Amino acid sequence: MGNKVAAVQMRDITKSFGTVKANDKVWLDIYRGEILALLGENGSGKTTLMNMLSGIYFPDGGQIFVDGKEVTIGSPRDAFDLGIGMIHQHFKLVEVLTAAENIVLGLREKGRLNMAAVERKVREICETYGFDVDPGQKVYDMSVSQKQTVEIVKVLYRGADILILDEPTAVLTPQETDKLFAVLRNMRDSGKAVVIITHKMHEVEELSDRVAVLRQGRFVGDMATKDTNAQEMTNMMVGHAVSLNISRPEPEDPRPRIEVKGLTVRSIDGIVKLDDVSFTARSGEILGVAGISGCGQKELLEAIAGLQPTERGSISYINDDGSREELLGKDPLSILEMGVSLSFVPEDRLGMGLVGNMDMTGNMMLRSYRRGKGPFLDRRFPLHRAEWVRQELDVNTPGLTTPVRRLSGGNVQKVLVGREIASAPTVLLTAYAVRGLDIGASYTIYDMINLQKAKGVAVIYVGEDLDVLLELSDRILVLCGGKVSGIVDGRSATKREVGMMMTKLGGGRSA
Amino acid sequence: MFDIVSFIPRAVMQGIPLLYGATGETLTEKSGNLNLGIPGIMYVGAISGVIGAFLYERGGNVQPFPAVAIPLLCCLFGSLLMGLLYCFLTVTLRANQNVTGLAMTTFGVGFGNFFGGSLIKLTGSDVPSIALSATSAYFSKSLPFADSLGAFGKIFLSYGFLAYLAVVIAFVAAWVLKKTRVGLHLRAVGENPATADAAGLNITRYKYAATCAGSMIAGLGGLYYVMDYASGVWSNNAFGDRGWLAIALVIFTIWRPNIAVPASFLFGGLYILYLFIPAGMSLSVKELYKMSPYVVTIIVLIIVSVRNKKENQPPESLGVAYFREER
């Protein structure tokens, strides 16, 4: 490493939000021709640190050197001028503009705006690195991976040679991830500096040359990836030794609990979202649901919870004595009272299930507002429950009366998932429960789900991370375009197999 | 018999203030500012122009160039101040846009009526209005040979210069929004300021510039109304609900100033249709006719939202203040 020039040196970088120190005297070196993985738990300040490099935030203290010269990065434009480009976790694209229009946005090129020339240059970049982008396509017509490609082309178009990617794989399928990694390796080999922020250990090991770890806003250390392992990195992130194995106890006395037969759901626009879906979820068992995002996972869970109008099919709830009750046609309230509980974590986290401006107690009350005498609310019960969730899940909040909106994303999620689990259901429907959560918090949630499983709850777990699905689930239902692509055993299935089934019905074997 | 040759010029003259207002408001809304103060700003633009013209006429010796330039500059200055005030409140202080806009409309109307009333007092006339016929003559001057060209001249050439300016501004605004880098950036600011910010655009500057330019354009609508349409006669509240009609026009034209040109004439026509329908109708029926611009706007809103095409929706972050470090 000694002979390489440090493209970026960050020294004693400090940034506070109110009383919270997001970064505290962080040192970081970024080299050209190298992929650096920046690791850390939620709220450890990774994104904040990179936002300061890309001009979104301005540091409270410290120095930044680019190619040995001290610089001041006061705005995103300063960052571009220094060749620094960042691809944010939430894409920064204007939906109604085309790919090319998004790419030239904010550029100060000379002369009149010539879209034809821009599109030509975009095509050239795409050919060089092997991207597949139609410059004239509107962003709202694009898939998530296409949008990400546009983001990367945008940065390259500006001639950036220091690229920062914030959790780029969170929304991609395994195949798309492989493609992205190939592109990133390409860039490294052409001498660019690449920084990737991620939670996923196997990606770090697969892709990066060097790892830097942050913990609670402080720089803990960095090392070459080949000299370390997942266990060591995790310990550095968390600060103490953690076990990286998700336990998967054998289901005890599994009985059919929810039986779905021939379920078909059509969206308001008339698009078939679920097509003839049939499966059985058993008590004391975790049924994982895998699929590319938007393949009907949301509709499936909502149909069971009574929130989604259905076209055909049946959903039966099977009691312990074998008697059946049809859930379709029941209102969400009575389904909830039967013990079917839904926690759906949407991309923006607050969109479903929590009220941002209410505090934890108030949000707990959303599930218990029918308690209490007459017109008066019972405030003590939700207060106890909020306290319980805070302690059990270690929610980092100034107090129970702080509006949920003010908490960090991971903590908001703990409140939501914790509330649903705490309502002691017989069926737990959960989607993206660990979306964007760090390792420590994720494992707490896995443990809680396993605990529910041991209590005989039928768990339906919709997940994004295939590795976790394969480790946690007893069986995995794979959805592909609203159809059941197959149901595989969680203990014997491989990642590749499930990945294939996600993109092609039956994994392409039947074709 | 429906007299189309006299109907069209009157519809156009009704439409021009709306066109100014709508073009100004479209520019403003493209930057993500929902400026409901437009009716008030048009009022202030009108009264500022009137004050300028009034003081100039009092000095005697009315010359063509200053007679046009003084009210014009006063009008632009007055509306600019209103635009700056709106921006300061909503962009810098991040106040609620709806509340600010409505307050500014109330303020603008009151401001206009207060100074209008004062001027009327100063002239000491018996009727509650001021007539600025000398300056107004220069504003409403049409091409000398327009009368000799019959119906063609009447329909196309019989207007004062502010009417043609309105059409030019509308087309230029449409071209800027669609074809230029500035327009692209402005649209991005209104759609998704966080993205525009990350792309290195100065959000505050774009919002201020678009809103102030929009206010000045809208103010000209008020000036046109007094100086040309009303022949220089100011009376309190005469401008009526035209400001709201201009905002309705923005929605009607799905945020496209070039469509606003014919649409404003259509609105103007609908607004005065009751004057041209066969006599003998009761007053209440006439009031129903005056509703028709709003009814067509509602119909367009319904059609647009049913078709749900992204390009036809309002700018995505319309009405939302932008704060970079919001989490």
Side-chain angles (χ1 to χ4, degrees):
Chain A
M1 223 183 293
N3 56 344
K4 279 184 192 157
V5 199
V8 177
Q9 293 166 295
M10 300 180 91
R11 294 286 175 266
D12 282 335
I13 297 291
T14 302
K15 174 80 183 170
S16 312
F17 292 105
T19 55
V20 184
K21 268 209 165 140
N23 282 137
D24 191 9
K25 302 204 165 165
V26 176
W27 283 51
L28 188 72
D29 289 338
I30 301 168
Y31 295 91
R32 283 183 215 285
E34 186 180 86
I35 298 178
L36 171 72
L38 190 56
L39 276 176
E41 295 190 273
N42 290 113
S44 60
K46 309 173 298 272
T47 305
T48 308
L49 185 67
M50 288 301 112
N51 273 341
M52 282 189 274
L53 205 50
S54 64
I56 302 280
Y57 296 152
F58 194 75
D60 296 341
Q63 292 163 294
I64 299 175
F65 299 89
V66 174
D67 293 325
K69 260 190 292 185
E70 184 170 1
V71 293
T72 308
I73 303 176
S75 72
R77 193 184 293 280
D78 294 348
F80 294 145
D81 293 344
L82 294 165
I84 300 169
M86 178 158 172
I87 290 123
H88 296 267
Q89 193 178 357
H90 304 288
F91 298 139
K92 305 260 183 195
L93 295 173
V94 181
E95 295 260 305
V96 297
L97 301 184
T98 64
E101 283 174 327
N102 267 294
I103 287 167
V104 291
L105 194 66
L107 273 184
R108 271 188 293 197
E109 285 173 327
K110 284 208 182 73
R112 276 192 51 200
L113 182 64
N114 181 348
M115 286 317 293
V118 172
E119 292 187 4
R120 230 179 0 258
K121 194 170 162 196
V122 170
R123 284 206 186 85
E124 272 168 32
I125 293 174
C126 291
E127 270 166 37
T128 320
Y129 293 96
F131 296 120
D132 180 24
V133 175
D134 171 10
Q137 196 181 5
K138 295 266 174 156
V139 171
Y140 62 76
D141 275 336
M142 291 185 181
S143 70
V144 184
S145 108
Q146 278 174 308
K147 286 182 191 172
Q148 188 176 55
T149 315
V150 174
E151 285 279 20
I152 297 174
V153 175
K154 185 162 100 182
V155 169
L156 293 175
Y157 188 97
R158 276 143 223 263
D161 53 6
I162 301 163
L163 270 94
I164 306 161
L165 294 99
D166 192 356
E167 296 194 33
T169 59
V171 287
L172 301 184
T173 62
Q175 282 77 8
E176 288 168 335
T177 304
D178 288 348
K179 236 167 96 183
L180 173 71
F181 284 3
V183 166
L184 292 181
R185 286 193 194 99
N186 242 337
M187 290 179 188
R188 172 190 61 194
D189 297 342
S190 66
K192 294 187 189 305
V194 179
V195 181
I196 167 168
I197 300 178
T198 180
H199 291 303
K200 298 178 189 170
M201 286 302 160
H202 62 95
E203 289 178 357
V204 175
E205 293 178 316
E206 191 188 328
L207 182 70
S208 69
D209 302 304
R210 205 160 55 91
V211 192
V213 184
L214 293 183
R215 183 170 72 229
Q216 287 167 1
R218 288 163 198 271
F219 177 71
V220 184
D222 64 346
M223 57 246 158
T225 311
K226 57 180 191 301
D227 299 337
T228 184
N229 57 47
Q231 187 65 50
E232 191 189 353
M233 289 187 277
T234 312
N235 293 352
M236 279 176 82
M237 273 165 61
V238 182
H240 53 84
V242 276
S243 157
L244 270 188
N245 297 316
I246 303 174
S247 63
R248 177 162 48 192
E250 282 295 324
E252 276 176 41
D253 184 23
R255 295 168 188 213
R257 175 63 29 100
I258 293 271
E259 194 177 60
V260 176
K261 265 192 191 152
L263 186 68
T264 301
V265 170
R266 214 179 268 276
S267 71
I268 302 171
D269 308 326
I271 300 161
V272 177
K273 286 291 189 182
L274 288 176
D275 191 0
D276 197 19
V277 170
S278 303
F279 66 90
T280 309
R282 294 197 277 256
S283 64
E285 191 188 73
I286 297 177
L287 176 69
V289 178
I292 303 168
S293 64
C295 273
Q297 297 96 322
K298 184 175 170 215
E299 287 76 11
L300 178 64
L301 296 196
E302 288 191 351
I304 298 174
L307 301 173
Q308 174 80 39
T310 55
E311 196 169 271
R312 268 198 314 279
S314 73
I315 302 172
S316 316
Y317 180 90
I318 303 164
N319 288 313
D320 282 336
D321 56 11
S323 62
R324 285 164 175 268
E325 273 182 83
E326 178 62 35
L327 291 186
L328 285 185
K330 274 196 195 306
D331 59 294
L333 187 59
S334 39
I335 293 177
L336 187 67
E337 276 166 356
M338 291 168 72
V340 180
S341 149
L342 168 69
S343 77
F344 186 94
V345 179
E347 269 161 38
D348 63 357
R349 288 186 178 130
L350 280 175
M352 256 170 94
L354 294 181
V355 180
N357 283 334
M358 276 165 46
D359 61 14
M360 270 181 77
T361 311
N363 274 296
M364 295 299 149
M365 207 187 294
L366 292 179
R367 273 276 180 270
S368 69
Y369 65 92
R370 284 175 302 278
R371 283 170 168 260
K373 291 197 178 77
F376 298 104
L377 287 167
D378 176 2
R379 289 196 64 93
R380 202 168 306 146
F381 174 78
L383 187 69
H384 288 318
R385 185 161 276 185
E387 191 53 52
W388 182 84
V389 169
R390 180 187 176 179
Q391 277 173 7
E392 282 298 304
L393 289 184
D394 193 19
V395 178
N396 186 4
T397 166
L400 289 180
T401 50
T402 309
V404 170
R405 178 173 52 87
R406 293 263 175 81
L407 307 184
S408 81
N411 285 311
V412 168
Q413 217 157 318
K414 287 182 191 172
V415 175
L416 175 61
V417 178
R419 182 185 73 192
E420 296 309 323
I421 291 178
S423 62
T426 55
V427 178
L428 177 65
L429 310 168
T430 168
Y432 314 118
V434 297
R435 185 176 247 165
L437 282 192
D438 60 57
I439 291 216
S442 300
Y443 277 71
T444 314
I445 289 193
Y446 300 145
D447 286 346
M448 293 182 73
I449 290 173
N450 267 327
L451 198 70
Q452 297 296 309
K453 169 182 166 181
K455 279 194 202 157
V457 172
V459 181
I460 300 182
Y461 177 90
V462 176
E464 290 173 308
D465 190 337
L466 277 187
D467 296 281
V468 170
L469 269 176
L470 286 166
E471 278 185 66
L472 183 68
S473 317
D474 298 299
R475 290 181 303 142
I476 299 175
L477 170 78
V478 188
L479 286 176
C480 172
K483 291 196 169 96
V484 177
S485 188
I487 299 180
V488 293
D489 188 87
R491 287 173 176 78
S492 61
T494 66
K495 194 177 167 190
R496 192 124 297 265
E497 187 187 347
V498 176
M500 289 300 285
M501 288 168 74
M502 280 163 67
T503 46
K504 223 168 184 181
L505 272 187
R509 277 169 301 171
S510 54
Chain B
M1 179 55 205
F2 194 85
D3 184 1
I4 196 91
V5 176
S6 63
F7 175 72
I8 287 180
R10 293 202 55 181
V12 170
M13 289 175 76
Q14 274 294 346
I16 294 298
L18 308 183
L19 181 55
Y20 274 117
T23 308
E25 178 69 6
T26 304
L27 278 183
T28 308
E29 291 197 9
K30 282 288 179 188
S31 76
N33 278 350
L34 176 64
N35 188 354
L36 293 179
I38 282 289
I41 290 170
M42 294 175 84
Y43 243 92
V44 170
I47 193 67
S48 307
V50 165
I51 293 172
F54 181 80
L55 296 177
Y56 180 64
E57 274 195 15
R58 281 217 140 181
N61 185 24
V62 176
Q63 299 287 324
F65 178 73
V68 169
I70 288 174
L72 203 59
L73 290 177
C74 289
C75 161
L76 290 176
F77 182 69
S79 359
L80 174 66
L81 285 185
M82 289 291 276
L84 281 173
L85 177 63
Y86 178 85
C87 285
F88 179 69
L89 291 173
T90 62
V91 180
T92 307
L93 302 181
R94 294 193 290 277
N96 181 300
Q97 296 190 4
N98 295 339
V99 177
T100 309
L102 291 173
M104 284 189 52
T105 286
T106 316
F107 168 76
V109 172
F111 180 90
N113 287 343
F114 173 74
F115 283 96
S118 311
L119 294 186
I120 292 166
K121 269 261 170 69
L122 279 179
T123 57
S125 79
D126 301 331
V127 281
S129 61
I130 332 157
L132 301 161
S133 39
T135 33
S136 162
Y138 294 110
F139 275 94
S140 52
K141 205 173 183 66
S142 59
L143 291 171
F145 51 85
D147 290 340
S148 60
L149 291 175
F152 175 82
K154 198 149 191 251
I155 290 174
F156 292 102
L157 301 172
S158 62
Y159 314 104
F161 74 94
L162 276 178
Y164 300 102
L165 185 64
V167 176
V168 171
I169 289 178
F171 281 125
V172 168
W175 177 78
V176 166
L177 282 176
K178 207 169 160 71
K179 293 281 177 196
T180 67
R181 206 178 291 281
V182 173
L184 176 67
H185 293 173
L186 183 61
R187 282 187 285 152
V189 168
E191 289 287 339
N192 193 336
T195 297
D197 193 16
L201 300 177
N202 187 335
I203 306 294
T204 309
R205 191 186 300 164
Y206 272 91
K207 284 197 170 222
Y208 262 85
T211 307
C212 290
S215 296
M216 283 155 72
I217 294 171
L220 287 178
L223 186 71
Y224 171 86
Y225 173 80
V226 189
M227 287 303 172
D228 190 340
Y229 179 84
S231 318
V233 177
W234 169 277
S235 47
N236 283 352
N237 290 323
F239 190 66
D241 58 353
R242 287 180 177 80
W244 297 113
L245 213 49
I247 291 177
L249 189 60
V250 174
I251 302 165
F252 180 82
T253 58
I254 45 176
W255 292 267
R256 287 182 177 81
N258 50 338
I259 299 182
V261 174
S264 65
F265 303 154
L266 172 72
F267 267 41
L270 291 172
Y271 200 66
I272 55 156
L273 192 60
Y274 71 96
L275 294 173
F276 284 80
I277 50 176
M281 289 271 208
S282 68
L283 205 65
S284 54
V285 175
K286 290 183 174 178
E287 289 300 318
L288 282 179
Y289 270 90
K290 285 173 104 169
M291 258 169 50
S292 51
Y294 297 102
V295 175
V296 278
T297 302
I298 291 171
I299 293 169
V300 166
L301 255 186
I302 292 170
I303 294 171
V304 166
S305 52
V306 166
R307 289 190 53 206
N308 198 19
K309 209 172 150 219
K310 281 254 183 187
E311 285 84 353
N312 294 343
Q313 300 303 316
E316 210 171 302
S317 68
L318 183 62
V320 185
Y322 176 64
F323 178 43
R324 184 185 282 173
E325 297 194 0
E326 182 114 60
R327 16 199 296 162

